Amino acid sequence: MDIKFNKNEDHNKLLLSDLKKRLVKVKLGGGEKSIEKHKAKGKMTARERINYLLDPKAKSIEIGAFAGEGMYEQYGGCPSGGVVVKMGYVKGKQCIVVANDATVKAGAWFPITGKKNLRAQEIAIENRLPIIYLVDSAGVFLPMQDEIFPDKEHFGRIFRNNAIMSSMGITQIAAVMGSCVAGGAYLPIMSDEAIIVDKTGSIFLAGSYLVKAAIGESIDNETLGGATTHCEISGVTDYKAKDDKDALDKIKNLVDKIGDFDKAGYNRAESKKPKENPDDIYGILPKSRADQYDMKEIIKRLVDNSEFDEYKQDYGKTIITAYARIEGWAVGIVANQRKLVKNKQGEMQFGGVIYNDSADKATRFIANCNQKKIPLVFLQDVTGFMVGSKSEHSGIIKDGAKMVNAVSNSVVPKFTIILGNSYGAGNYAMCGKAYDPRLIAAWPSAELAVMSGNSAAKVLLQIETASLKKKGEKITKEKEDELFNKIKDRYDDQVSPYYAASRIWTDGVIDPLDTRTWISMGIEAANHAPIEKPFNMGVLQV
């Protein structure tokens, strides 16, 4: 090991330590005092409910753990978006579980809560996965109702998705374990089966105070919409549970009896660990995002037996295309090569940049994977497409468009891992969030933006100084440096992987060593949904 490897390792392990600290904080939800109050009502926390429900010792992944981070500070924040979402196994069956966290503003829905719930449903719909709702929510957060209530991707879309999933035959089970009010009352009742916990669960369109104000009727919440009312009088719910654990046990029994699913038929062999030590990733990945490294060394530590077969190895070298296996699943890997390489003319090409030949190669490879029904894995560390007269005259826009076309029209499941840079159109071509990856995750070393903080600050500085000069201000070197650092600091906050994760531009920030699990569970989920249309790139200028 050389000194550079050790410095990289120290840097990346500090980033990992920061990730773990952030996760510890996030998992406290509304804080220890709120948790105490919640448990005093005889209720389990959202995370305890999920942990009890999921099969012990089985793998699981959390979607959107950092949703809402740094947002809504004027209201005290919204850790994890006030809802916990996990993909895991119940009685051996892969499921999505969505649990309101009532320690965060009584489980009220902020705008990011709606976005996260919709993301959970999107994953269930794309992969035909059973979805379980553990409901404990006070409904829409009223001070922000205009940002959560009426639009297409707002609160009401949840119930539309309930109906769509029902028509698709996707199992939905809901357990009302606390409040379930107003519009939110439709979610459990639009599910296939609904459970309600006695004394703590309640469902009504309007609570007792609003009923009194609206029609003058005096009634308590339990009589209005408690478990006895809905199991014995209204027939709204199907099962009464004595407590949280009883409700979760009933869910387990229901899931246990679900029949088998039609499989997409993705190829899987016996899983084998990488021969190369995955821990080396921390030392290979450079401290500086501007430094070069060999992406093939990263791939060796992600794939089974550290073996992969390169497609067009000596052509278009700034993108690596290769067939491999991850936990037994056959995959096609599209990865940005991050070291200087020579093209067929002997010219040096910058690592992390997409050139004409590499875009052409990637397009062909993506088409091949679709032809052979092989899921795609994109490993992003990209600064964008090559610019300048030579590239423009060679038709970089057309070659880039072909690659974007192939990614857009791909019918096999796609998975995206952002290792480092994810800038500009490179994010799009390498299957960014806008291109429907089944799962998209970032390593702590990732940066997502139109361009790097340094480049953006230089551009914005030129605009700012020109504006100030027009106003007659004299710009000294000190003033220019001050402006540059101010702009760069602001921009750097926005390129952070946590900024992206808080807005659900990615599904999470993960330890690089968890990458194999994310991809493997993602393909297993995708195997529930047979491909329904042929691969067709439409009108394409070849």
Side-chain angles (χ1 to χ4, degrees):
M1 301 294 177
D2 59 21
I3 189 70
K4 189 175 182 181
F5 183 99
N6 291 335
K7 285 182 176 179
N8 290 341
E9 186 175 47
D10 289 344
H11 172 74
N12 286 308
K13 287 195 172 179
L14 280 172
L15 292 180
L16 180 61
S17 175
D18 178 51
L19 167 62
K20 289 178 178 177
K21 286 176 185 174
R22 287 171 182 259
L23 282 170
V24 168
K25 186 178 178 183
V26 154
K27 287 176 181 178
L28 285 174
E32 291 177 355
K33 286 185 179 179
S34 292
I35 290 172
E36 285 175 18
K37 287 180 182 177
H38 182 82
K39 289 189 170 184
K41 299 172 185 175
K43 299 199 287 187
M44 302 164 74
T45 66
R47 292 182 182 279
E48 287 171 342
R49 288 166 175 167
I50 292 178
N51 289 341
Y52 182 84
L53 181 63
L54 295 181
D55 295 346
K57 298 182 181 178
K59 292 181 178 179
S60 67
I61 58 176
E62 183 169 352
I63 308 296
F66 293 109
E69 182 169 290
M71 300 167 71
Y72 317 120
E73 296 297 340
Q74 70 272 36
Y75 300 115
C78 187
S80 259
V83 62
V84 183
V85 176
K86 282 195 177 184
M87 179 190 290
Y89 302 87
V90 178
K91 292 292 185 177
K93 290 184 173 63
Q94 199 172 18
C95 301
I96 296 289
V97 185
V98 181
N100 299 113
D101 186 350
T103 71
V104 180
K105 291 287 188 294
W109 287 55
F110 284 73
I112 199 67
T113 316
K115 187 172 183 179
K116 185 170 174 179
N117 274 269
L118 288 169
R119 177 61 180 143
Q121 289 185 320
E122 180 182 42
I123 292 170
I125 290 169
E126 284 181 329
N127 299 292
R128 309 293 195 273
L129 284 183
I131 185 166
I132 298 163
Y133 308 100
L134 307 180
V135 184
D136 193 347
S137 172
V140 167
F141 185 63
L142 290 177
M144 301 191 75
Q145 64 85 27
D146 61 321
E147 296 181 46
I148 180 63
F149 171 63
D151 208 349
K152 181 179 178 181
E153 300 297 332
H154 283 178
F155 192 68
R157 188 79 171 182
I158 305 290
F159 317 128
R160 175 265 187 193
N161 285 350
N162 288 142
I164 294 297
M165 282 190 276
S166 182
S167 72
M168 294 172 69
I170 297 171
T171 298
Q172 300 176 82
I173 300 171
V176 179
M177 310 177 86
S179 296
C180 183
V181 301
Y186 290 104
L187 185 145
I189 311 314
M190 293 187 75
S191 299
D192 301 334
E193 294 179 278
I195 300 157
I196 186 167
V197 179
D198 196 21
K199 300 298 186 286
T200 56
S202 58
I203 308 171
F204 34 66
L205 294 180
S208 56
Y209 292 125
L210 187 53
V211 168
K212 176 70 173 174
I215 63 171
E217 181 184 2
S218 295
I219 189 169
D220 64 272
N221 282 337
E222 183 64 25
T223 306
L224 181 66
T228 299
T229 295
H230 286 310
C231 287
E232 299 180 19
I233 301 171
S234 72
V236 163
T237 51
D238 307 305
Y239 308 92
K240 185 196 287 189
K242 62 183 180 182
D243 56 25
D244 280 8
K245 285 188 176 180
D246 186 34
L248 297 168
D249 285 336
K250 289 182 188 300
I251 293 173
K252 292 180 186 182
N253 291 334
L254 291 171
V255 173
D256 190 38
K257 296 171 182 66
I258 296 173
D260 204 358
F261 56 91
D262 295 332
K263 295 173 178 63
Y266 302 119
N267 185 296
R268 192 175 198 184
E270 182 186 351
S271 175
K272 295 180 181 178
K273 293 181 179 179
K275 281 184 179 176
E276 301 289 345
N277 186 0
D279 285 340
D280 291 346
I281 288 172
Y282 302 120
I284 296 167
L285 201 65
K287 178 179 178 179
S288 169
R289 298 303 328 123
D291 285 354
Q292 305 279 304
Y293 66 95
D294 190 351
M295 178 65 83
K296 292 180 186 180
E297 294 303 315
I298 298 287
I299 295 172
K300 286 178 185 176
R301 287 153 178 85
L302 293 177
V303 301
D304 290 11
N305 244 1
S306 299
E307 295 174 347
F308 56 92
D309 299 308
E310 262 197 88
Y311 171 81
K312 290 186 178 289
Q313 180 177 351
D314 298 318
Y315 178 76
K317 294 179 183 177
T318 64
I319 285 184
I320 299 163
T321 49
Y323 299 107
R325 290 190 183 275
I326 292 178
E327 292 199 356
W329 293 104
V331 296
I333 294 172
V334 181
N336 303 110
Q337 176 58 289
R338 276 306 312 268
K339 69 174 187 176
L340 283 167
V341 295
K342 278 186 181 179
N343 67 9
K344 57 190 174 186
Q345 287 83 30
E347 302 165 328
M348 297 306 296
Q349 293 182 329
F350 296 104
V353 178
I354 302 175
Y355 289 77
N356 298 73
D357 51 0
S358 46
D360 175 68
K361 177 172 83 170
T363 302
R364 291 166 182 252
F365 182 72
I366 290 165
N368 283 347
C369 287
N370 275 272
Q371 188 86 346
K372 294 187 282 190
K373 207 157 73 170
I374 299 174
L376 286 159
V377 174
F378 293 83
L379 302 178
Q380 280 198 18
D381 194 346
V382 58
T383 52
F385 286 88
M386 190 59 190
V387 296
S389 60
K390 184 175 180 181
S391 289
E392 297 292 0
H393 296 170
S394 299
I396 188 65
I397 294 173
K398 185 165 70 174
D399 288 330
K402 286 192 290 185
M403 184 175 173
V404 170
N405 189 314
V407 173
S408 302
N409 285 298
S410 180
V411 295
V412 295
K414 299 167 292 197
F415 303 90
T416 302
I417 306 294
I418 304 170
L419 287 65
N421 304 323
S422 180
Y423 298 150
N427 170 281
Y428 301 160
M430 291 295 294
C431 197
K433 182 65 182 289
Y435 293 81
D436 298 323
R438 296 292 177 97
L439 293 173
I440 177 170
W443 289 1
S445 48
E447 292 187 357
L448 290 83
V450 172
M451 61 183 76
S452 71
N454 199 55
S455 298
K458 287 178 181 177
V459 173
L460 293 169
L461 177 65
Q462 291 177 40
I463 296 168
E464 182 76 9
T465 52
S467 175
L468 292 171
K469 283 176 182 177
K470 277 185 181 179
K471 294 175 183 176
E473 290 191 36
K474 186 178 180 181
I475 307 298
T476 63
K477 180 69 170 62
E478 291 76 16
K479 177 70 173 175
E480 192 173 272
D481 289 344
E482 181 188 337
L483 280 170
F484 176 84
N485 290 327
K486 185 179 177 182
I487 293 167
K488 187 175 184 301
D489 288 345
R490 185 176 71 241
Y491 200 89
D492 282 347
D493 285 340
Q494 295 179 2
V495 304
S496 158
Y498 297 101
Y499 189 91
S502 71
R503 288 151 180 81
I504 319 184
W505 300 343
T506 66
D507 292 316
V509 183
I510 66 170
D511 182 343
L513 301 190
D514 290 333
T515 302
R516 281 169 56 85
T517 297
W518 273 67
I519 293 170
S520 174
M521 286 189 68
I523 298 174
E524 184 181 351
N527 204 35
H528 287 68
I531 295 171
E532 295 177 348
K533 64 176 184 177
F535 175 64
N536 184 346
M537 289 177 64
V539 178
L540 180 66
Q541 298 182 55
V542 179

